[in-house]
Amino acid sequence: MSKIIATGKYAPQLAVSNLDLEKIIDTSDDWIYTRTGIRKRRISQSESTLDLTYKAALNAIEKNNINIDTIDLIIVATVTPDHFMPSTACLLQSKLGIDHLQVTSFDINAACTGLIYGIQIADKFISSRSHKRALIVGAETFSKVLDWEDRGTCVLFGDGAGAVILDGEEDKILSDYTNSSGDKLLHLTLPAVPLENPFGAEKKEISRYLTMNGSEIFKFATFAIKDSIDFVLEQCNLNIDDIAYIVPHQANQRIIAKVARVMKIPLDKFYMNVEHYGNTSAASIGIALDDLYETKNLKSGDKIILVGFGGGLTWGSILYEY
């Protein structure tokens, strides 16, 4: 019961290239690029997750002349908030000056699938007629949780935020799908370091850095993208030829190439910008979608699939009409 009426993005100014990383860890531009498709990533020097969230939201609002008084739902997807409480969404509401009555603001944690979950949730709120217009932002500052001596993870991720605004006047979201599976083997983790209290047991040493089993995530991602695309196509009785673009989570070009081969989809139907941003987790689909809007001549009626996968494990997709 809703339509995407605006997109926006923000990435920090500092671009760290693979050549820059060669100077601090045992890696090379060729090693990184051939395995991931990444050339550079944006890294925050002082901006917080809230700062990135605010600038992406403002970009979407200003580019599309959105009246902030019409926004009554704010959802932020992130696994790297500045605070556990208050939520980034509530802080964003305050920073934007959205102070009219009955605004619902909250964060969600679905890792790299966060924007998909956020859009699905917002669409349900709007469909219930409890809310009319939603701002959804995926935002991450992964640079603060990376072990910069671990070349298996630090070369992959970047910081940024991507925003989407939904409105309930038209029904352009044709199908949505989300799924999850408890990852007993913890293929992708970002631990919360426990605080001590006088009544607790002896403190255990827990790393505060992100860890990832790359080969298992690769296999999961290939399944998750195919599963998510197949589901929404079947729900709408469409085939891949009916789709103008697929905007996947920007994790790794090799993953997308593998899916394209398995599903016999032309690779150029997948919109990719991972080369310039790296993996920005919950921000990546929003950033890529905004880039797609800016660089491609989309036509009214074009059908687009957004598809994500991430830690949890989580995965899902949105099929909508432009």
Side-chain angles (χ1 to χ4, degrees):
M1 290 293 293
S2 59
K3 176 185 178 181
I4 294 175
I5 62 167
T7 64
K9 65 175 177 296
Y10 179 78
Q13 295 304 305
L14 178 64
V16 176
S17 70
N18 295 343
L19 297 176
D20 293 325
L21 292 180
E22 286 181 6
K23 300 171 185 176
I24 63 171
I25 55 172
D26 179 19
T27 192
S28 69
D29 175 60
D30 181 67
W31 190 91
I32 298 169
Y33 184 72
T34 57
R35 287 163 175 77
T36 68
I38 299 169
R39 290 287 191 194
K40 60 184 177 180
R41 69 286 296 145
R42 303 293 187 89
I43 300 296
S44 172
Q45 295 176 285
S46 60
E47 293 167 304
S48 66
T49 297
L50 175 61
D51 291 332
L52 306 189
T53 305
Y54 170 72
K55 291 174 182 178
L58 202 62
N59 181 246
I61 290 165
E62 291 181 344
K63 279 193 310 189
N64 299 277
N65 299 312
I66 302 295
N67 180 352
I68 62 168
D69 290 334
T70 63
I71 296 171
D72 54 6
L73 175 61
I74 300 172
I75 301 173
V76 173
T78 184
V79 296
T80 55
D82 305 317
H83 311 279
F84 288 128
M85 181 182 64
S87 70
T88 308
C90 283
L91 294 172
L92 175 61
Q93 178 187 344
S94 174
K95 199 170 178 69
L96 287 171
I98 298 176
D99 55 6
H100 49 276
L101 294 177
Q102 196 181 349
V103 181
T104 302
S105 301
F106 58 91
D107 289 358
I108 60 172
N109 177 345
C112 307
T113 323
L115 194 75
I116 301 294
Y117 273 58
I119 292 172
Q120 186 191 59
I121 293 167
D123 184 57
K124 304 316 179 202
F125 268 83
I126 292 171
S127 297
S128 74
R129 303 189 185 281
S130 65
H131 295 72
K132 295 180 179 179
R133 184 167 282 182
L135 167 64
I136 307 103
V137 187
E140 306 286 10
T141 49
F142 253 77
S143 58
K144 68 186 179 185
V145 297
L146 295 174
D147 179 353
W148 287 94
E149 295 181 354
D150 176 13
R151 73 171 187 171
T153 56
C154 75
V155 303
L156 303 176
F157 293 90
D159 300 334
V164 168
I165 297 176
L166 296 187
D167 184 88
E169 290 299 315
E170 287 187 86
D171 187 9
K172 293 290 188 176
I173 292 183
L174 307 181
S175 180
D176 58 48
Y177 171 62
T178 53
N179 207 335
S180 62
S181 175
D183 182 7
K184 297 183 179 66
L185 299 179
L186 300 178
H187 295 313
L188 182 60
T189 65
L190 181 56
V193 178
L195 300 178
E196 294 183 75
N197 71 70
F199 306 101
E202 184 179 348
K203 183 179 176 182
K204 294 181 179 179
E205 290 298 322
I206 299 177
S207 170
R208 66 182 180 88
Y209 298 121
L210 175 140
T211 62
M212 183 173 67
N213 183 331
S215 61
E216 291 300 321
I217 292 296
F218 191 102
K219 288 187 286 187
F220 158 67
T222 305
F223 152 77
I225 295 173
K226 182 179 184 303
D227 179 58
S228 299
I229 292 172
D230 283 342
F231 184 94
V232 291
L233 287 176
E234 184 177 341
Q235 284 286 300
C236 296
N237 195 27
L238 298 172
N239 61 57
I240 203 65
D241 294 331
D242 298 311
I243 305 302
Y245 286 100
I246 300 167
V247 182
H249 166 46
Q250 307 290 311
N252 187 312
Q253 281 188 2
R254 290 175 64 189
I255 291 173
I256 307 307
K258 174 71 177 297
V259 172
R261 290 195 304 272
V262 169
M263 298 188 72
K264 297 181 173 57
I265 300 172
L267 188 58
D268 59 5
K269 196 178 283 280
F270 290 90
Y271 183 81
M272 289 188 281
N273 64 0
V274 67
E275 177 178 358
H276 306 294
Y277 298 98
N279 181 346
T280 55
S281 186
S284 81
I285 293 174
I287 292 173
L289 182 62
D290 190 62
D291 277 358
L292 173 69
Y293 277 22
E294 291 181 347
T295 60
K296 301 297 182 183
N297 186 23
L298 296 174
K299 307 182 299 296
S300 178
D302 278 350
K303 294 178 178 61
I304 297 169
I305 294 177
L306 311 179
V307 59
F309 57 91
L313 299 162
T314 64
W315 65 102
S317 54
I318 304 286
L319 194 161
Y320 76 97
E321 191 171 277
Y322 181 70

